Amino acid sequence: MINVIGLGYIGLPTALMLASHGVEVIGTDYNKELVATLNSGKTTFKEKGLDELFHAALAKGIKFTTKYQQTDMYIVSVPTPYDKFSKNVDASYVVAAVKDVLKVCPKGATIVVESTISPGTIDKYVRPIIDKDINLAHAPERIIPGNMVHELIHNNRTIGADSREVGEKVKQYYSTFCQEEIVVTDIRTAEMTKVVENTYRAVNIAFANELSRICRHDNMDVYEIIRICNMHPRVNILQPGPGVGGHCISVDPWFLVGDYPQLAKVIDESMKTNDSQPVFVLERIYEIMKENNIVDSQRIGLYGITYKENVDDVRESPTLQLLDIQKRHLAQPLKTFDPFFTDKAIVPNQVLDFDQFLKEVDMVVIMVKHDHIKQNFDKLKGKVVLDCHNVCKMEGVYHI
Ligand code: SAJ
């Protein structure tokens, strides 16, 4: 039996995947409400294919509880926030979860940490609290929100362990559902690979964002330039956008900057570039307002609040970053609309109905390329449009 600790964005799909492939699974989370929701037969967030997977796992007998179980295999997938000031990883949730597991687990049990951690976290924070003979492993998750269920099955993965034997044992569990290659390595390497993968993407996006600024400065078409460059067999530049959000690419690379401030220079600059992209968007909005004689900022609407398309996750979202910058200048927040996110407690100035939103604004800034907006481009006719993702092919659309 596996006890999965932490039933969030990663823990829940992982637990469901194991259960639906015949492993006996009990999911534990200290959030009583979350456990009650799952026990009432509902999932806790929207994700393609998650509800079907949930029902398949329920049929195989998965259970959810707030209690830690006595078993020989644990997967810990709790959050690892980072300290915004020091940029260091905050491993306190991982440490607390492992401590709770140690209270109940038998000798010889294996604790697999899935949470993203900076290289050295297990040695620095987890090993020192181990007070009995157990095995540690690290199996960093790699799935992309929006395509999690598919990627759980079809992504290669990495397992770090102290010995081949433990690594192979953990691998057996993951092999029940993962159809691709599972590499077994040591813990430190596994920790580093995860952070490096996200850093690679962050640096590449920063490069694209920097190109967008260079091209804007001299009125060149960044999208056409990237498209042509990417036809070179060894060039693969990502796309510029209004900023980088999510709990991974906008966070993990900071771990390296925090741990190696004198060495991680390219990474540091890249992260700063991505983090300042919402300011660049604000400047573009201001320029376009002037060009179109729009004086009332309340006639500007941001389309999209989530950190990327077709998900309901708003963690570190560029739209929230932009609204936060406005707030710091005591400016009235721009109007917003998002078909996936309607929590007025977090974003007060949002309009919940799309047609109403369009009535209230003269200019629409496409911050997120949800399928919903792609299906509604015709409704943008007559509006000034700033498209931060180059998805709207209408005449006269502005770009970043
Ligand atoms: N973005 C751009 N330009 C692009 C691609 C993305 O500006 O060309 C922006 C997105 O709009 C978004 C942010 O970057 O705001 C991040 O989105 P994403 O789709 O690139 O990645 P995440 O954060 O949803 O998921 C990433 C994935 N990592 C990699 O692709 C290396 C995923 O596989 C990881 O599991 C996940 O981080 C994680 O949990 O670490």
Side-chain angles (χ1 to χ4, degrees):
M1 190 258 278
I2 292 194
N3 189 196
V4 177
I5 314 292
L7 299 172
Y9 285 100
I10 299 303
L12 181 64
T14 306
L16 299 178
M17 202 43 102
L18 284 160
S20 63
H21 285 80
V23 179
E24 190 188 345
V25 179
I26 300 190
T28 298
D29 199 297
Y30 65 29
N31 180 339
K32 288 190 194 118
E33 261 173 55
L34 184 141
V35 170
T37 306
L38 294 172
N39 280 331
S40 73
K42 287 193 215 97
T43 47
T44 40
F45 61 97
K46 285 190 211 125
E47 172 65 36
K48 193 171 66 194
L50 189 69
D51 285 343
E52 290 81 349
L53 186 64
F54 182 58
H55 289 111
L58 284 179
K60 290 280 177 93
I62 190 169
K63 293 194 175 60
F64 305 106
T65 171
T66 52
K67 296 210 169 55
Y68 290 75
Q69 305 297 308
Q70 196 170 16
T71 184
D72 63 348
M73 182 65 73
Y74 296 85
I75 292 180
V76 173
S77 45
V78 294
T80 40
Y82 77 106
D83 184 289
K84 286 221 161 91
F85 181 70
S86 71
K87 311 292 189 199
N88 285 323
V89 68
D90 169 4
S92 58
Y93 292 96
V94 174
V95 169
V98 171
K99 273 188 184 159
D100 285 336
V101 168
L102 287 169
K103 284 184 202 149
V104 295
C105 73
K107 269 191 187 166
T110 302
I111 305 178
V112 184
V113 176
E114 271 221 23
S115 312
T116 304
I117 44 186
S118 66
T121 298
I122 296 226
D123 282 347
K124 227 191 297 176
Y125 300 104
V126 182
R127 279 195 211 283
I129 59 164
I130 304 297
D131 55 4
K132 58 168 90 142
D133 179 19
I134 55 113
N135 305 306
L136 284 173
H138 179 45
E141 58 85 11
R142 268 181 167 174
I143 50 179
I144 197 140
N147 201 24
M148 287 177 156
V149 175
H150 176 88
E151 290 204 350
L152 268 171
I153 298 172
H154 297 287
N155 280 2
N156 302 320
R157 43 186 323 156
T158 318
I159 291 170
D162 290 333
S163 70
R164 189 91 220 159
E165 195 195 337
V166 173
E168 291 298 330
K169 191 174 155 204
V170 175
K171 182 175 169 176
Q172 271 177 12
Y173 281 99
Y174 284 95
S175 304
T176 58
F177 62 84
C178 174
Q179 294 176 7
E180 302 303 322
E181 195 176 331
I182 302 178
V183 180
V184 176
T185 182
D186 61 87
I187 288 182
R188 186 101 187 195
T189 304
E191 288 174 323
M192 187 65 176
T193 53
K194 167 64 194 240
V195 174
V196 168
E197 287 161 13
N198 281 345
T199 303
Y200 168 80
R201 197 159 166 86
V203 171
N204 194 333
I205 296 170
F207 179 57
N209 284 336
E210 185 162 287
L211 290 178
S212 74
R213 296 180 196 185
I214 294 172
C215 291
R216 171 59 43 215
H217 187 74
D218 262 332
N219 215 13
M220 293 179 273
D221 182 346
V222 68
Y223 299 104
E224 178 70 349
I225 290 163
I226 291 178
R227 189 180 74 80
I228 295 169
C229 291
N230 282 349
M231 290 167 81
H232 184 290
R234 282 171 295 281
V235 177
N236 184 16
I237 308 167
L238 289 168
Q239 294 297 308
V244 173
H247 187 55
C248 316
I249 291 176
S250 67
V251 175
D252 301 355
W254 282 125
F255 298 166
L256 292 176
V257 178
D259 288 346
Y260 307 98
Q262 297 306 322
L263 302 174
K265 301 286 186 204
V266 171
I267 304 168
D268 189 16
E269 277 308 317
S270 300
M271 296 304 279
K272 286 177 184 153
T273 302
N274 289 340
D275 281 357
S276 60
Q277 198 70 355
V279 176
F280 178 60
V281 175
L282 260 177
E283 285 164 3
R284 275 302 279 151
I285 293 174
Y286 183 57
E287 274 169 19
I288 297 165
M289 278 175 78
K290 277 196 295 190
E291 210 177 304
N292 289 276
N293 299 318
I294 302 173
V295 282
D296 180 3
S297 67
Q298 283 308 294
R299 299 293 301 169
I300 315 287
L302 302 178
Y303 176 91
I305 302 172
T306 62
Y307 89 88
K308 68 172 185 183
E309 66 278 12
N310 306 325
V311 299
D312 61 2
D313 188 342
V314 295
R315 291 178 297 175
E316 322 288 331
S317 110
T319 302
L320 294 186
Q321 292 178 40
L322 191 151
L323 292 173
D324 191 51
I325 295 158
Q326 276 201 288
K327 200 156 99 190
R328 278 189 265 133
H329 289 84
L330 307 177
Q332 216 189 334
L334 298 176
K335 289 210 171 102
T336 55
F337 169 81
D338 194 310
F340 284 85
F341 188 80
T342 50
D343 188 345
K344 279 207 160 206
I346 296 181
V347 186
N349 205 13
Q350 62 174 309
V351 184
L352 300 181
D353 177 76
F354 184 56
D355 292 326
Q356 182 60 31
F357 168 74
L358 291 180
K359 262 190 216 144
E360 292 183 21
V361 301
D362 299 319
M363 173 172 167
V364 176
V365 183
I366 302 178
M367 295 290 287
V368 185
K369 51 179 189 275
H370 289 310
D371 287 347
H372 167 268
I373 191 71
K374 295 184 186 164
Q375 288 146 10
N376 281 289
F377 282 149
D378 54 320
K379 290 192 176 169
L380 298 182
K381 278 193 194 114
K383 305 282 177 202
V384 175
V385 177
L386 167 58
D387 176 3
C388 300
H389 291 282
N390 193 32
V391 284
C392 179
K393 300 297 170 213
M394 273 164 38
E395 191 94 356
V397 167
Y398 291 90
H399 296 105
I400 49 173

